[in-house]
Amino acid sequence: MTPAIASLETPRLTLRPLRFEDATRIQELFPHPEIVKYLDVVVPWPYPADGAAQFLARVLPEVDTGVRYSWAITETAAADDALIGLIELTPNNPNDHRGFWLGLPYHGRGYMSEAATAVTDYAFDILQMPELLLSNAEPNIASHRLKEKAGATIVSIIDDVAFVGGHFRKVSWRLTPAAWASHRCSASRHSLNPSRSDH
């Protein structure tokens, strides 16, 4: 039997295991053009009224068997543990090991950087993954910067790939444990010197 996925803590977030009761929040937050436009065309669009329920019915059995690791992103300080986004690892995916989205009301707060840090630590420290393969549509600047700041390197750029919002170039990345450790060390040194000014 596969062990239950552990909850992960960040300074402001709790990443808890996804559950079927999250369907209502997913259906409320996910189907917006700004969220889905850079996602793979495997996402149905327009999003059906039972899209979240269909998604969870497919994903949760994969979580139970260890094929997928999916967390609901929640605000630790909130009165409830309502989902505000989702982040997951799919170690057996040959092209992309990590995916995420965050509800529009929660953008611009640095939440996804926190969540991605916790999940990347989990990938390398707990799952002992030898690398993370990542990708994004080229116009998705926020996702691009997140990977760049983590120490990932570009391995390929493919023209004319279909995404929900149209055809864009697809950027593929590779993040190694060594590069991630170097990034984490650098980030720790920076946090110990808050008066430092970077230009």
Side-chain angles (χ1 to χ4, degrees):
M1 183 175 179
T2 304
I5 298 174
S7 292
L8 307 177
E9 301 288 338
T10 81
R12 297 175 295 169
L13 304 173
T14 298
L15 278 56
R16 62 162 174 78
L18 197 61
R19 57 196 186 216
F20 196 79
E21 290 76 15
D22 291 319
T24 299
R25 285 286 287 175
I26 293 173
Q27 193 71 39
E28 174 188 348
L29 293 173
F30 178 71
H32 292 275
E34 285 301 308
I35 290 177
V36 305
K37 65 181 178 181
Y38 296 135
L39 298 183
D40 190 283
V41 289
V42 69
V43 175
W45 193 256
Y47 203 61
D50 63 344
Q54 289 185 37
F55 167 76
L56 290 168
R58 175 175 58 84
V59 164
L60 291 178
E62 295 180 355
V63 173
D64 289 341
T65 57
V67 173
R68 181 186 300 257
Y69 298 79
S70 298
W71 292 269
I73 303 170
T74 72
E75 294 177 298
T76 303
D80 55 20
D81 65 347
L83 175 149
I84 65 169
L86 186 149
I87 187 165
E88 58 186 5
L89 290 169
T90 49
N92 297 322
N93 187 320
N95 301 311
D96 207 340
H97 291 144
R98 190 185 67 197
F100 49 71
W101 62 268
L102 190 68
L104 291 180
Y106 307 95
H107 284 199
R109 305 185 193 183
Y111 279 174
M112 193 50 73
S113 180
E114 283 189 30
T117 294
V119 168
T120 302
D121 280 342
Y122 189 87
F124 290 141
D125 297 343
I126 305 302
L127 299 183
Q128 297 289 299
M129 293 177 64
E131 62 183 2
L132 278 181
L133 301 178
L134 311 166
S135 70
N136 59 267
E138 190 174 51
N140 191 346
I141 302 301
S143 185
H144 183 105
R145 287 176 177 165
L146 194 66
K147 297 172 179 68
E148 192 172 51
K149 290 179 179 179
T153 56
I154 294 174
V155 294
S156 69
I157 299 177
I158 304 173
D159 290 328
D160 197 33
V161 175
F163 294 86
V164 173
H167 285 71
F168 309 107
R169 297 212 300 174
K170 179 180 179 180
V171 183
S172 295
W173 306 71
R174 179 173 180 260
L175 178 61
T176 65
W180 177 243
S182 177
H183 158 78
R184 294 288 269 145
C185 183
S186 176
S188 296
R189 286 198 303 269
H190 184 82
S191 68
L192 293 174
N193 295 278
S195 62
R196 176 182 167 189
S197 178
D198 291 324
H199 300 282

